[in-house]
Amino acid sequence: MDSNQRFLFKAFRRYYRTNHPIMPDRFTRREFGFMFFDKNYVQRHMGFGRPEELDRFMYGQVPSHSYYSTSYYRKPNAPTMDEKEWMGAELIFDLDADHLDGAKEMTYSEMLVQIRSEMMNLVDSFLLGDLGFSEDQVHITFSGGRGYHAHVRTPDVMGLGTHERRELVDYITCSGLSIDWVFPYNKVATSKVALGNGVRTNVAKDRLIPPADAGGWKLRMRNGLLDVVEEFCTRDVKEIRKEYPSIKGSDKQSITKAQEELVRNRAFMFEKNTMAVVSQTTQNMLVKIMKEDVAYRLSGEVDEPVTADIKRLIRLPGSVHGKSGLRVTPITREELTHFDPLQMAVPDVYTDDPVKITMRRDSELDMKGEHLVLRGETEVPEFAAIFLVGRKMADVGWASEATEQKKLF
């Protein structure tokens, strides 16, 4: 181990001396896996018969990362997956900030705020909303790193296979959503025209709007269309083009005409659930916006491989994360709204004692009520040093002192 790993190892050992992981339900049916500071592989296929056995392992071995299986097995410590005898698995949703658009330009704190918002949307709109789970069935956990997990542990999801779980992901992310299903055509015959070889019926193809008592994606898209129409009625052409990139190339006259039509007819549109009162050009514009701009914004963020995997290992609650030193923390939906990991997931055993570090890059950090301006060689409280070293933003010790030591020898 190098000096950074030794520093984290000692802090983690102190943590596990007085803190114990939170045992998952039916823990004797779970597989456990671990990574370590002095090894470059995952030790898995482990099972524990009693909580005390796991406590001793955590303190004795001091893992850098700790995991347990989302699946239940008859023989969780069997050496191969086939021998374990799969019995079922929790339904897992994993949101990690590295999947966010623009994540590379965000600070750690900014990523945490954004991914927390995504988790609230996933839980409220989809898990508790469309899918109908209750709050006591959805278990939320801060991952200790850059995201959150939601576990659903109801009997009716345990036996779902990979295909069914992928379908849930597709629903949440609106993958494959048919715009013609959401806003179907109402084909109405308007006139008949005599032709040389018969009669042609002219048909008006006006779009219908989902009713207010619709559910799922139809209601979500109806409400999204309400917002779009409101934008058209209250903002100028330049702002509308910026808000909805799909119509950026539309001429000003078409957008202005749509604005005029919608101002006159928006109440009737949503009262009668039809776009028939506006022109085909305006209808097409609205549907294009809903399909290419709005649907994506209304979707939920989900890591598809994690949800679809029925034999997944996931972070063990109550353990600490090797790349941040933060605690993997279970929280309620109410707590999620204002949860700030840099204030609320910092273990109490980390002290305020000053630690010398050398920053790899200049930064600022708000942690445990302190605002730290970090430049070059500096001293920070131990809790901040653990976080910065774990995140590879700093090294333990001062580089100048290390150089002086080398000169002496």
Side-chain angles (χ1 to χ4, degrees):
M1 286 188 283
D2 61 24
S3 58
N4 289 336
Q5 291 171 321
R6 286 194 298 273
F7 172 69
L8 295 176
F9 178 91
K10 291 178 181 178
F12 283 24
R13 169 161 279 183
R14 184 158 27 97
Y15 172 83
Y16 287 123
R17 181 181 295 124
T18 55
N19 292 272
H20 309 296
I22 299 169
M23 302 302 291
D25 70 306
R26 298 166 63 191
F27 71 91
T28 59
R29 295 294 186 188
R30 310 279 195 156
E31 176 194 358
F32 289 80
F34 305 93
M35 297 179 69
F36 303 92
F37 291 105
D38 58 347
K39 301 179 180 70
N40 58 3
Y41 59 86
V42 179
Q43 181 178 344
R44 56 180 304 177
H45 306 303
M46 299 185 66
F48 296 91
R50 295 184 302 147
E52 294 79 12
E53 294 176 13
L54 178 59
D55 292 343
R56 285 196 295 271
F57 179 89
M58 301 293 279
Y59 177 67
Q61 300 298 316
V62 192
S64 54
H65 302 277
S66 305
Y67 308 91
Y68 74 101
S69 66
T70 61
S71 302
Y72 303 89
Y73 302 101
R74 284 191 172 84
K75 302 172 184 176
N77 58 350
T80 67
M81 299 310 296
D82 288 339
E83 292 177 285
K84 291 181 187 297
E85 298 183 27
W86 187 84
M87 300 171 64
E90 301 174 351
L91 182 62
I92 297 292
F93 298 93
D94 178 15
L95 273 63
D96 196 302
D98 66 349
H99 296 155
L100 294 172
D101 291 337
K104 292 182 179 179
E105 287 73 46
M106 296 182 189
T107 65
Y108 182 81
S109 296
E110 290 169 341
M111 287 193 292
L112 289 178
V113 170
Q114 182 62 32
I115 204 65
R116 182 183 65 191
S117 177
E118 294 287 351
M119 177 55 81
M120 288 191 291
N121 176 55
L122 172 66
V123 171
D124 295 346
S125 298
F126 295 97
L127 302 186
L128 303 181
D130 292 2
L131 299 181
F133 297 115
S134 60
E135 282 198 39
D136 64 337
Q137 294 172 325
V138 179
H139 306 269
I140 305 168
T141 303
F142 168 62
S143 71
R146 298 173 299 185
Y148 293 87
H149 304 146
H151 303 237
V152 180
R153 301 189 188 111
T154 61
D156 51 344
V157 305
M158 293 298 181
L160 294 179
T162 297
H163 177 73
E164 293 86 356
R165 293 168 193 251
R166 282 203 182 104
E167 287 188 344
L168 287 173
V169 171
D170 289 344
Y171 178 84
I172 292 169
T173 59
C174 79
S175 176
L177 181 67
S178 170
I179 202 69
D180 294 334
W181 172 76
V182 178
F183 301 109
Y185 287 109
N186 182 31
K187 298 180 181 180
V188 179
T190 58
S191 63
K192 292 184 178 181
V193 179
L195 300 174
N197 58 351
V199 176
R200 182 187 72 194
T201 301
N202 288 333
V203 177
K205 293 184 178 181
D206 296 310
R207 297 277 189 170
L208 297 176
I209 299 172
D213 60 356
W217 269 102
K218 286 193 173 184
L219 179 59
R220 189 171 287 109
M221 292 289 272
R222 174 192 170 88
N223 292 335
L225 181 62
L226 276 164
D227 292 337
V228 171
V229 170
E230 176 67 20
E231 295 280 323
F232 266 73
C233 293
T234 57
R235 303 180 74 173
D236 62 34
V237 172
K238 184 178 180 181
E239 291 175 320
I240 291 170
R241 281 179 173 153
K242 183 178 180 180
E243 182 69 18
Y244 304 115
S246 67
I247 61 165
K248 194 172 183 179
S250 300
D251 61 88
K252 182 177 180 179
Q253 184 178 355
S254 297
I255 298 176
T256 301
K257 181 183 178 183
Q259 290 177 302
E260 294 169 352
E261 291 181 342
L262 292 171
V263 167
R264 291 196 307 267
N265 298 296
R266 60 176 169 172
F268 186 87
M269 282 175 58
F270 291 99
E271 179 183 339
K272 299 299 183 181
N273 302 321
T274 180
M275 299 186 195
V277 289
V278 297
S279 67
Q280 289 289 322
T281 301
T282 297
Q283 291 186 46
N284 292 339
M285 187 179 297
L286 292 176
V287 170
K288 184 177 179 66
I289 288 171
M290 295 304 299
K291 178 181 180 180
E292 299 181 22
D293 298 321
V294 177
Y296 171 76
R297 301 176 191 177
L298 297 176
S299 66
E301 180 73 27
V302 176
D303 188 340
E304 185 270 339
V306 173
T307 300
D309 190 348
I310 60 172
K311 299 179 180 179
R312 192 81 177 186
L313 293 181
I314 203 158
R315 295 277 173 185
L316 178 63
S319 65
V320 280
H321 194 295
K323 292 185 178 180
S324 70
L326 299 179
R327 181 175 182 265
V328 181
T329 309
I331 53 178
T332 65
R333 170 61 190 89
E334 183 179 359
E335 291 170 335
L336 175 64
T337 301
H338 301 292
F339 189 77
D340 183 349
L342 290 175
Q343 312 301 324
M344 303 172 183
V346 183
D348 293 336
V349 298
Y350 299 168
T351 70
D352 297 329
D353 296 342
V355 175
K356 294 179 179 180
I357 61 170
T358 301
M359 295 298 297
R360 297 186 182 184
R361 58 184 182 275
D362 294 347
S363 185
E364 296 186 20
L365 177 67
D366 291 297
M367 194 172 186
K368 287 195 73 175
E370 294 192 34
H371 179 72
L372 304 172
V373 179
L374 305 164
R375 306 282 188 273
E377 297 179 341
T378 185
E379 286 190 347
V380 297
E382 183 191 56
F383 63 79
I386 293 169
F387 174 78
L388 294 167
V389 171
R391 293 278 298 161
K392 298 189 184 303
M393 298 171 64
D395 298 301
V396 174
W398 285 355
S400 59
E401 289 186 345
T403 300
E404 288 300 318
Q405 288 291 327
K406 289 180 181 179
K407 289 179 179 178
L408 294 175
F409 296 95

